[in-house]
Amino acid sequence: GENVEQHPSTLSVQEGDSAVIKCTYSDSASNYFPWYKQELGKRPQLIIDIRSNVGEKKDQRIAVTLNKTAKHFSLHITETQPEDSAVYFCAASPGVNSGYALNFGKGTSLLVTP
Amino acid sequence: DAGVTQSPTHLIKTRGQQVTLRCSPKSGHDTVSWYQQALGQGPQFIFQYYEEEERQRGNFPDRFSGHQFPNYSSELNVNALLLGDSALYLCASSSGYEQFFGPGTRLTVL
């Protein structure tokens, strides 16, 4: 089955700096890659996603890049703010062939200090 | 429009008991997936329901079963509870790629 690895497990940055979280996946059939933000005691929230026919996608301060050949994708957050502090999860899905089941990484705890 | 809702919020059971968790999907969504999230870990896929059938299943034992109703709501049943079943159980609804999560049910097994 699909195996998603995520690094780093913790990340501490100063407000205004950029943060990068990286994930690798094993199943070459995976074609959908969402990122979720989970604040303490809250539900995971979809913040951005990318499909395999796209190499990069941006939404204001967040962007995701995908390298299908190398089987890795990354989340980039620019101009970080204290409210970006949360646990971020990457996921991969083989899409319709698996009913879009998501395989998650173990998460990155991001701390943005003022 | 309500988002994904789950009940109950918290639940405490003892080993060997059975539990039923409930999920109502976001309006317009016809697919419900269930995930187990242990403390400090990412969600793990249990199974997914579409058109009242289990469409996909993750690596969970048969003690975990589910159901989807004609109104697309869903139940997760766990029999013969083990201490290791203590976790946050999340359901997610979708109508395609994007999955939206409910607030979860925190299950504690004593």
Side-chain angles (χ1 to χ4, degrees):
Chain A
E2 174 68 276
N3 181 42
V4 178
E5 296 200 356
Q6 182 172 348
H7 300 279
S9 57
T10 61
L11 181 59
S12 182
V13 300
Q14 287 208 311
E15 184 177 1
D17 287 349
S18 294
V20 180
I21 303 170
K22 298 182 179 183
C23 289
T24 60
Y25 62 98
S26 61
D27 188 350
S28 57
S30 287
N31 60 12
Y32 175 62
F33 307 91
W35 287 86
Y36 286 85
K37 174 183 180 182
Q38 188 174 31
E39 296 176 67
L40 194 62
K42 301 280 185 69
R43 73 187 76 191
Q45 286 197 306
L46 178 66
I47 57 171
I48 195 167
D49 58 9
I50 192 167
R51 300 189 194 180
S52 61
N53 57 345
V54 175
E56 184 173 355
K57 183 177 177 181
K58 190 173 181 180
D59 182 5
Q60 298 184 336
R61 295 187 295 109
I62 59 172
V64 58
T65 58
L66 171 64
N67 183 328
K68 282 223 76 177
T69 303
K71 294 201 197 113
H72 65 71
F73 55 113
S74 301
L75 178 71
H76 304 252
I77 306 175
T78 58
E79 300 172 23
T80 54
Q81 300 167 4
E83 50 265 40
D84 294 329
S85 296
V87 180
Y88 291 80
F89 293 97
C90 64
S93 172
V96 65
N97 293 329
S98 74
Y100 310 108
L102 296 176
N103 298 283
F104 283 86
K106 291 189 175 182
T108 296
S109 180
L110 173 65
L111 177 64
V112 180
T113 54
Chain B
D1 172 34
V4 183
T5 60
Q6 291 185 244
S7 63
T9 306
H10 296 89
L11 208 48
I12 298 175
K13 292 285 187 179
T14 55
R15 279 180 299 175
Q17 285 190 310
Q18 178 263 343
V19 69
T20 297
L21 311 181
R22 294 176 177 83
C23 172
S24 290
K26 187 176 168 67
S27 177
H29 287 181
D30 57 8
T31 303
V32 173
S33 303
W34 286 93
Y35 294 83
Q36 180 194 68
Q37 187 176 25
L39 206 57
Q41 300 293 316
Q44 284 209 302
F45 176 72
I46 302 174
F47 44 54
Q48 182 182 83
Y49 278 83
Y50 171 71
E51 292 188 343
E52 302 179 53
E53 298 273 338
E54 184 183 287
R55 176 159 70 174
Q56 192 78 11
R57 188 177 184 92
N59 190 24
F60 278 78
D62 292 345
R63 299 186 298 109
F64 290 77
S65 63
H67 188 78
Q68 185 178 37
F69 299 94
N71 66 353
Y72 306 121
S73 67
S74 177
E75 288 182 349
L76 164 65
N77 301 293
V78 187
N79 294 323
L81 284 167
L82 304 173
L83 295 179
D85 294 332
S86 294
L88 180 68
Y89 288 84
L90 294 160
C91 81
S93 76
S94 58
S95 61
Y97 280 98
E98 296 179 343
Q99 293 192 23
F100 296 89
F101 283 88
T105 294
R106 172 72 62 187
L107 173 64
T108 302
V109 182
L110 303 176

